[in-house]
Amino acid sequence: AAMYQCKKNGKNNYMFSGDISSAETNEADLIFSDELHKVGVQEIDEQHQVIVNALSNLSAAIKNNIDEKEITLLFDELGRLISSHFLSEENLMKRYAYPGLESHKAEHEYFLAEIPNVKMKVSKGFGELFMVRLIRHYLMHHILKEDKQLGEFIRQNDIKG
């Protein structure tokens, strides 16, 4: 069964599709660092790995009932890593004159605008692992949909020198 229905009634409204407790989540579901998610650009792939590691650390902290302050620090670090990664991708898109820059950047802006909402929901006890899964789902989808195309474009138009 799906853990959530991906947006209901528009922006910032999430819904569980069933009552799934944190104990029922599986750590392996939170990992997505495999060949399928590699885009073939070392800089991007390495940054994705750092983000995956931070997401896994956050998930482990939540599952191990680490104190809220530490979870907040880990969440903030994840947000910084994602923001830095998006900026790096946007710089690559500009350098390579990527034709999908505007739509890709809009995806980044949307996600970055959602981070404070997700953090607020976590702080109100909405379900930390649910929120980690939501972030994971977005990132996995973004990598497969947007970053794979960007990686292919960069590889085809690689600037040597």
Side-chain angles (χ1 to χ4, degrees), residues 14-28:
Y14 305 96
M15 176 182 166
F16 287 98
S17 74
D19 185 23
I20 298 175
S21 71
S22 295
E24 293 173 323
T25 60
N26 181 350
E27 183 71 19

Side-chain angles (χ1 to χ4, degrees), residues 11 17 21 26-27 42-44 53 66 75 78 81 84-85 89 106-107 112 117 131 142-143 145-146 161:
K11 189 175 179 181
S17 74
S21 71
N26 181 350
E27 183 71 19
Q42 184 176 356
E43 179 180 347
I44 295 173
N53 293 344
I66 303 298
F75 196 93
L78 178 63
L81 291 169
S84 175
H85 167 64
E89 275 188 359
E107 287 276 331
L112 291 173
N117 298 318
M131 291 295 121
H142 180 78
I143 290 168
K145 181 176 178 250
E146 302 291 335

Side-chain angles (χ1 to χ4, degrees), residues 71-116:
I71 289 173
T72 298
L73 290 172
L74 291 169
F75 196 93
D76 290 345
E77 177 63 14
L78 178 63
R80 282 189 295 277
L81 291 169
I82 291 170
S83 181
S84 175
H85 167 64
F86 285 171
L87 183 59
S88 178
E89 275 188 359
E90 290 164 15
N91 287 334
L92 282 170
M93 287 186 266
K94 289 174 189 171
R95 186 168 86 196
Y96 285 88
Y98 182 59
L101 169 65
E102 291 306 315
S103 64
H104 198 128
K105 186 175 178 181
E107 287 276 331
H108 290 169
E109 290 168 354
Y110 172 79
F111 184 72
L112 291 173
E114 287 295 308
I115 288 177

Side-chain angles (χ1 to χ4, degrees), residues 2-7 15-17 130 133-134 137-138:
M3 187 164 134
Y4 61 91
Q5 292 176 357
C6 195
K7 296 265 182 175
M15 176 182 166
F16 287 98
S17 74
F130 170 74
R133 283 175 174 255
L134 188 65
H137 175 78
Y138 169 81

